[in-house]
Amino acid sequence: MAAVIDVYLPIPAWRPYSYAVPETGLPDEPQGCRVVVPVRRGWKVGVCCGVRNADPPEDVAPAREFLDRRPAIPCDLWDLGMWMSSYYMCPPGITFTTMLPGPCRPRMSAVLEPRPALASRADTVPAELKAVVELLSHGPVLRNRLERLMGVPDVERLVRWLIEQDLASWKVKVGPEPASKQMAIATLVEAPDPVRVTAAGQRILEALRASGGRLPVAELVVRARVGRSVVATLERAGLVVVEHTMEPAPSLRDSVGPPLSLTPAQRGAVDAVSEAVRNRVFQSFLLHGVTGSGKTEVYLTAAAEAIAQGQSVVCLVPEIALTAQMLARFRGRFGDRVVLVHSGLRPGERLAAWARSTVPGSLVIGPRSAVFAPVSNLGLIVVDEEHDASYKQERDPRYNGRDVAIMRAHHASCPALLGSATPSLETYQHCLSGKHLMLELPDRVDGWAMPAVSIVDMRAEPKVHGPRVFSSLLRRRMEEVIGRGEQVLLLLNRRGYARSVQCADCGFIPQCPDCDIALTFHRRDYRYVCHYCDYAEPAHDACPSCQGHRLGFGSLGTERVDEELRSLFPDKRTLRMDRDTTRSRGAHVRIIDAMEREEASVLVGTQMIAKGLDLPKVTLVGVVNADTPLQFPDFRAGERAFQLLAQVAGRAGRSAAGGEVVLQSFLVDYPALLAAARHDYQAFAREELLQRREAGYPPFASLVRLEVRGRVGDAVDAHANAIAAGLRAVRPGQGGRYLGPAPPLLPRLRGLHRRQLLVFHRARSRLHAWVRDALSRAGEHHEGTRLVVDVDPLETA
Ligand code: ADP
Ligand code: ZN
């Protein structure tokens, strides 16, 4: 009997596929090694799950080669991957592929190689193969090239004779590794004489001037809202020079400094975590500290303890935009032990970082995927801002980095330290039930006060045409703060959605009577619809609450805010931080850096600026539209609103200079808003948990979202209805229910129709069993549709 290797492939299949051992042999420890295997007309990289004695299946070619000598997925991560696959209901091959950094999945191409015998037998080949032999006489040929040159769709058939005669063979070429990309940087050349330049060109020159004369082209074209050709035109005119360089990723200066002497609250927290580190026991902690209470110092000190024991540390941060300041602080303390891993790195840098993280005593820092870093001897996992939505991956496997971190710590027998000023209600409930241990930092360090918050009732502001931007209070405060040479942070929430409705006079938002979520407007049939349960009512012309006629879908544009700022402070510099301005490599670092250097007075941004920024010169935070998150049709709308407002408020007053917050709102008596204004997490959580319990929402029930997508509406409906029938056919037991099928927030997305079901159960294991059973009753294969299974969804829209 021969040996067979079993391989999980990155395809939607749950079982491993079997192959004969490759000619190049086996690594010492095959499980977790990447291996190239033949799949139909090409090759795929799979992950080997084992070797056994058996005859290989007849119809399959041997695996081509192993890409690793040592497992890319070491055995602790293997177990984690198998757990994820089952928990998130995502096939193992796709799960394991996600756990490896992108550049570990090399591009592969097929090559036809001449065999030694070909040269001597060249004149025996059939006429139609002469051209192929001629090509091969110069060396191996890529299949794509061969196809092009021969002009036949199926070269495999054509050359079969050569293969059978052992005159040529197919090989797979792995890689090359994607080349490191160079970055194009534009530099301004001040022309001695005025030159005529188009309006678009003017915008480029202005953008360059505004940022010190030098910017990456990728960022420049976004800022100036022009195409690249405009830059090229200016280059030809000699007004701009473009160079291509291999600049290292920009980063902030390391904040070097000795460990601070801890406050008593910090000391208590560190002691609890350090004890678990020393004893090598699993324990999950929630470090619940108000913004500015010194949570980072606790992470640093606990990490130092683990490193002193020769262990490694993984620290998750929500977004690349936030890694910059955290990285600077970790580097300042731990120097070269710190390894940054994130997808913004170039492929070569990413692979190098991945390799460096295996060095014992490393400190790996990065966004959610860093939870898979192959560190050895893990001693502590930190999850900063554990409530953050960016920990959830919105494609398969739809895992939550925070929860995977807890499971990884559990497997590794080490503590997991979650930190937040505004914990998710799931995490908070786990503290109340004793699953997590809560460590509290109730005050800001150095006795700095929490900033005072004013809520401005926008209903009372003088009415103007179009959406109002700044209330008179916010305008006055900005003038004062900027006049004193301090800085302002302005939150402009764009999460608002065109279908959500709010009365511009009284702030009323129509709600579903059953689901307690905002209804959405469907223009076609002029109705308000609940996308959880499909409840609908005719759209009103007048606001049911105040009888006004200004029910609208208002969402303020960034342009309006920019415009207004420019007219208020014509000689001050304003920076913007949002998706558009942070697209290019290192853009967020440059923006934060410019704020730290006080080159700008105002930073306007979306949610991005609400998190983690520590800018001592910011003494005023303004929230232009505090209600927007509440309009979002999701049972977490209140939680999101509270977190956002409390977090952004926490950006003010991070120094002895103090700070102030102005929230502009139509819903001035909404509990989440009031609690945020008082910095009162407990009050918010108490109220919100009561409502969740009553409505049977998480954390009092586990939730799986099932979404069917497809091009044909009827097929989508049929599949969704089959799943609903499957759910009805099984008795879920006490505490199980489902909502839908209903159209989600965007019933059509990129040409695909969508229907969703929300399945709840009080018992997690019952929920999984119920869903699995229902899905198998509904049948695996439905023509023309695709099923998305989202376990613990954060977005239920
Ligand atoms: P959080 O993450 O809780 O919002 P940070 O960790 O950013 O708070 O700390 C806020 C500020 O307080 C930082 O500038 C930090 O250097 C400072 N700080 C933290 N701990 C101490 C301490 N024990 N003594 C003095 N300053 C501290
Ligand atoms: Zn409803």
Side-chain angles (χ1 to χ4, degrees):
M1 226 179 323
V4 164
I5 60 173
D6 291 322
V7 179
Y8 283 128
L9 294 177
I11 56 175
W14 286 83
R15 67 177 179 91
Y17 289 77
S18 302
Y19 299 89
V21 172
E23 276 174 36
T24 46
L26 289 173
D28 296 338
E29 221 184 301
Q31 188 194 66
C33 287
R34 292 168 303 147
V35 57
V36 180
V37 298
V39 174
R40 270 188 241 127
R41 291 187 63 233
W43 282 272
K44 276 192 190 300
V45 179
V47 178
C48 178
C49 57
V51 180
R52 60 198 161 83
N53 286 324
D55 286 317
E58 270 171 23
D59 50 341
V60 78
R64 143 87 187 170
E65 67 174 339
F66 276 85
L67 295 178
D68 300 307
R69 292 277 100 207
R70 311 196 43 232
I73 300 196
C75 112
D76 56 329
L77 288 171
W78 182 271
D79 295 343
L80 190 68
M82 292 310 276
W83 170 79
M84 276 175 67
S85 168
S86 144
Y87 185 89
Y88 291 107
M89 301 191 203
C90 175
I94 298 176
T95 306
F96 284 125
T97 305
T98 305
M99 295 171 75
L100 293 169
C104 282
R105 279 163 262 148
R107 285 162 51 91
M108 280 171 299
S109 32
V111 189
L112 191 64
E113 266 184 11
R115 304 283 288 178
L118 183 63
S120 55
R121 288 186 49 200
D123 36 341
T124 67
V125 304
E128 74 269 21
L129 284 172
K130 291 280 190 226
V132 177
V133 172
E134 162 61 19
L135 279 169
L136 286 175
S137 70
H138 302 287
V141 190
L142 282 171
R143 175 167 56 201
N144 291 352
R145 183 147 175 267
L146 199 58
E147 255 164 26
R148 242 187 357 261
L149 291 176
M150 302 304 296
V152 291
D154 192 357
V155 277
E156 229 126 309
R157 268 257 298 270
L158 177 70
V159 304
R160 187 174 293 157
W161 186 85
L162 288 173
I163 311 277
E164 282 164 5
Q165 298 289 315
D166 200 25
L167 298 178
S169 62
W170 284 109
K171 283 276 143 71
V172 50
K173 193 160 143 253
V174 179
E177 222 176 68
S180 292
K181 267 217 319 255
Q182 293 200 325
M183 177 155 69
I185 312 249
T187 310
L188 182 69
V189 180
E190 287 295 353
D193 313 309
V195 185
R196 274 185 37 133
V197 175
T198 60
Q202 264 324 332
R203 286 210 298 277
I204 292 260
L205 298 179
E206 267 161 35
L208 273 173
R209 258 181 227 123
S211 56
R214 218 170 127 79
L215 265 184
V217 174
E219 192 182 338
L220 181 59
V221 295
V222 173
R223 279 212 199 164
R225 298 187 302 270
V226 299
R228 279 173 187 262
S229 61
V230 184
V231 182
T233 310
L234 292 178
E235 197 184 1
R236 279 196 297 277
L239 294 171
V240 160
V241 173
V242 177
E243 333 149 56
H244 296 263
T245 58
M246 286 277 290
E247 282 199 340
S251 60
L252 299 174
R253 247 177 314 116
D254 295 354
S255 5
V256 192
L260 304 166
S261 63
L262 300 179
T263 63
Q266 284 174 324
R267 184 81 261 161
V270 166
D271 286 348
V273 180
S274 297
E275 189 182 321
V277 168
R278 277 193 303 275
N279 295 340
R280 308 233 50 164
V281 292
F282 166 72
Q283 171 67 54
S284 45
F285 296 96
L286 169 66
L287 181 61
H288 183 200
V290 298
T291 51
S293 59
K295 293 185 288 294
T296 311
E297 198 59 33
V298 174
Y299 306 152
L300 288 165
T301 318
E305 178 70 37
I307 287 171
Q309 313 271 324
Q311 300 166 342
S312 299
V313 176
V314 171
C315 178
L316 303 187
V317 286
E319 275 181 36
I320 301 173
L322 291 190
T323 52
Q325 284 196 326
M326 186 70 102
L327 179 70
R329 285 169 80 173
F330 273 85
R331 275 231 184 101
R333 193 68 57 83
F334 298 107
D336 285 343
R337 285 179 187 280
V338 179
V339 182
L340 173 67
V341 295
H342 68 69
S343 56
L345 298 176
R346 301 200 173 93
E349 294 169 334
R350 268 187 99 179
L351 289 178
W354 211 244
R356 266 181 60 211
S357 69
T358 61
V359 175
S362 299
L363 199 153
V364 175
I365 180 165
R368 65 169 179 261
S369 61
V371 75
F372 304 124
V375 299
S376 47
N377 197 10
L378 181 65
L380 173 68
I381 299 193
V382 174
V383 184
D384 188 30
E385 311 289 357
E386 66 81 28
H387 63 276
D388 198 276
S390 73
Y391 284 125
K392 173 85 174 171
Q393 172 153 294
E394 295 296 353
R395 63 194 138 78
D396 292 351
R398 295 172 179 254
Y399 72 93
N400 187 314
R402 170 201 61 211
D403 298 330
V404 174
I406 294 173
M407 191 43 90
R408 187 167 181 195
H410 187 81
H411 286 190
S413 291
C414 77
L417 176 56
L418 317 181
S420 177
T422 53
S424 66
L425 288 168
E426 283 79 0
T427 297
Y428 192 66
Q429 180 60 25
H430 282 324
C431 290
L432 298 180
S433 73
K435 201 174 150 198
H436 301 334
L437 213 64
M438 182 141 77
L439 310 167
E440 288 185 272
L441 305 179
D443 303 305
R444 287 190 155 183
V445 289
D446 278 353
W448 301 332
M450 296 299 287
V453 180
S454 322
I455 300 180
V456 176
D457 186 346
M458 293 304 274
R459 293 173 304 186
E461 287 293 305
K463 303 226 180 326
V464 292
H465 288 295
R468 277 148 291 180
V469 181
F470 300 127
S471 58
S472 43
L473 177 70
L474 182 53
R475 188 178 311 187
R476 211 160 52 235
R477 289 288 181 271
M478 284 198 292
E479 281 161 1
E480 291 164 10
V481 162
I482 293 175
R484 286 200 301 268
E486 296 161 357
Q487 292 175 315
V488 180
L489 218 59
L490 279 183
L491 177 76
L492 176 67
N493 206 318
R494 282 205 296 189
R495 179 72 194 283
Y497 179 66
R499 280 176 194 281
S500 57
V501 188
Q502 181 171 35
C503 171
D505 289 326
C506 75
F508 173 82
I509 299 172
Q511 303 262 327
C512 171
D514 298 322
C515 301
D516 280 339
I517 63 156
L519 296 173
T520 56
F521 178 61
H522 285 232
R523 190 177 308 272
R524 194 156 34 129
D525 34 12
Y526 210 70
R527 295 187 310 169
Y528 296 139
V529 177
C530 169
H531 68 86
Y532 279 12
C533 70
D534 222 6
Y535 166 88
E537 62 186 43
H540 330 284
D541 284 325
C543 168
S545 174
C546 74
Q547 270 67 52
H549 285 269
R550 305 218 299 156
L551 272 182
F553 317 98
S555 73
L556 276 170
T558 327
E559 293 80 34
R560 262 311 288 280
V561 173
D562 276 352
E563 227 167 79
E564 199 100 343
L565 279 173
R566 238 176 293 136
S567 76
L568 283 174
F569 310 105
D571 52 342
K572 295 290 176 198
R573 189 162 161 223
T574 298
L575 289 170
R576 233 175 78 197
M577 187 141 131
D578 54 27
R579 286 263 161 70
D580 293 338
T581 60
T582 53
R583 236 184 275 269
S584 77
R585 173 179 161 92
H588 58 278
V589 174
R590 276 190 292 275
I591 296 170
I592 296 170
D593 195 48
M595 282 298 281
E596 284 186 348
R597 290 168 191 275
E598 297 175 38
E599 288 167 11
S601 307
V602 186
L603 175 61
V604 186
T606 52
Q607 279 86 331
M608 251 183 232
I609 62 162
K611 310 172 187 173
L613 283 180
D614 185 20
L615 297 166
K617 271 281 177 173
V618 169
T619 54
L620 174 65
V621 166
V623 180
V624 176
N625 47 351
D627 299 337
T628 327
L630 295 169
Q631 284 170 267
F632 205 71
D634 189 304
F635 72 85
R636 287 194 183 86
E639 182 179 356
R640 291 274 167 74
F642 177 83
Q643 286 166 342
L644 182 68
L645 297 176
Q647 289 287 345
V648 75
R651 301 310 118 208
R654 295 170 78 89
S655 77
E660 186 183 350
V661 181
V662 176
L663 306 180
Q664 303 191 147
S665 166
F666 284 99
L667 300 168
V668 289
D669 43 12
Y670 193 83
L673 189 74
L674 291 173
R678 291 196 311 266
H679 310 287
D680 191 348
Y681 177 83
Q682 266 79 14
F684 156 74
R686 216 177 309 122
E687 169 88 7
E688 183 72 21
L689 284 174
L690 268 177
Q691 284 179 17
R692 297 274 185 95
R693 190 191 290 276
E694 220 160 81
Y697 286 139
F700 299 101
S702 298
L703 170 59
V704 173
R705 187 178 70 91
L706 301 171
E707 181 190 319
V708 180
R709 297 177 182 174
R711 293 213 174 273
V712 184
D714 288 345
V716 171
D717 277 330
H719 190 173
N721 289 333
I723 294 172
L727 286 166
R728 278 194 303 273
V730 189
R731 234 180 249 278
Q734 268 286 315
R737 68 186 171 116
Y738 74 90
L739 297 175
L745 187 53
L746 301 169
R748 284 192 69 179
L749 192 61
R750 281 177 238 114
L752 297 181
H753 293 264
R754 304 161 76 213
R755 284 286 177 277
Q756 76 169 14
L757 295 116
L758 298 176
V759 192
F760 298 85
H761 204 296
R762 257 183 296 185
R764 153 89 48 200
S765 58
R766 299 286 286 278
L767 173 66
H768 280 230
W770 185 22
V771 169
R772 282 207 180 92
D773 196 341
L775 292 181
S776 79
R777 277 165 200 268
E780 282 248 316
H781 193 74
H782 286 255
E783 198 63 41
T785 59
R786 196 172 94 76
L787 173 68
V788 172
V789 180
D790 192 354
V791 176
D792 302 339
L794 278 190
E795 308 275 348
T796 52

